[in-house]
Amino acid sequence: MIEIRFHGMGGQGAVMGALMLAEAAFSEGKYAQKIPVYGGMRRGGDVTVFLRLDDKPIRRTCGIYEPDAIVVLDPALISVPAVRKGLKKGGLAVLNDERSPEEVDLGVELSKLATVDATGISTEVLGQRAIPITNTTMLGAISKATGWVKLESLFEPIMGMFPGRIGELNVEACKRGYEAVRVREA
């Protein structure tokens, strides 16, 4: 089982992103479980989502406190200690960060660290927003960096969540994230 913790700000699509990744995994015959954690916070508040992926049914329903991987949708959160807390040695991280993976130190020895400028891609594809919607760009980066799901498996969940032109733009953001991600392996 792969245990993943998503971190984002309300409005960036962390919950929807985890759901679309879970749906893509399910379409490939895998099992997935998503548990969002957020209170009555307003747009812009911290959001954490627990996601488990496995080839067999998932029975565990608690939070994820020692994740195999973290996905960080907002670059401002990368330096927050709680975001990195519990990340397993040998784990992996996929970050929305302009820096190259070689420039990033999360304070734990990782098997893989991936960075993508999801904010920049989101702004180019979806337009300027107070809180950039980075989830679909990050999904493309996750696909390439981890191989958890095929890139093409993400398209149907994206189009299901965002029909029409908005969906097409989000698929484009996903493809751009896949193409632009940079990965450093240990």
Side-chain angles (χ1 to χ4, degrees):
M1 177 172 14
I2 302 166
E3 294 188 312
I4 309 148
R5 204 170 55 206
F6 281 69
H7 294 276
M9 303 297 274
Q12 290 182 308
V15 175
M16 287 173 141
L19 176 60
M20 289 182 281
L21 182 58
E23 288 178 1
F26 185 73
S27 76
E28 293 182 5
K30 298 174 185 150
Y31 292 86
Q33 176 196 75
K34 172 190 72 81
I35 305 170
V37 180
Y38 50 91
M41 297 184 200
R42 68 189 189 294
R43 185 173 173 85
D46 294 350
V47 174
T48 303
V49 184
F50 304 131
L51 178 65
R52 291 183 174 92
L53 302 175
D54 204 343
D55 292 327
K56 53 188 183 283
I58 300 167
R59 306 270 185 244
R60 187 178 302 164
T61 59
C62 60
I64 298 173
Y65 305 104
E66 293 183 347
D68 300 302
I70 60 170
V71 175
V72 183
L73 279 72
D74 191 293
L77 296 175
I78 294 167
S79 61
V80 175
V83 169
R84 299 182 309 254
K85 186 177 182 181
L87 180 58
K88 291 178 183 172
K89 181 179 179 181
L92 67 94
V94 182
L95 311 175
N96 173 5
D97 198 317
E98 292 179 336
R99 297 176 292 174
S100 73
E102 291 73 27
E103 297 176 84
V104 178
D105 181 8
L106 295 180
V108 63
E109 187 179 316
L110 300 173
S111 64
K112 195 179 286 189
L113 186 125
T115 61
V116 65
D117 181 10
T119 300
I121 292 170
S122 172
T123 301
E124 288 174 21
V125 176
L126 302 170
Q128 184 74 38
R129 299 173 188 274
I131 299 174
I133 300 170
T134 58
N135 60 354
T136 51
T137 304
M138 292 299 290
L139 289 176
I142 291 165
S143 173
K144 186 169 185 179
T146 68
W148 293 334
V149 296
K150 297 178 184 107
L151 177 65
E152 298 77 19
S153 297
L154 293 163
F155 301 161
E156 188 174 325
I158 290 171
M159 291 302 295
M161 189 73 65
F162 309 106
R165 179 73 177 138
I166 298 298
E168 292 168 3
L169 290 172
N170 276 280
V171 166
E172 177 63 25
C174 183
K175 290 176 183 176
R176 295 265 312 269
Y178 184 91
E179 294 164 4
V181 70
R182 296 164 292 181
V183 181
R184 180 190 80 212
E185 296 193 43

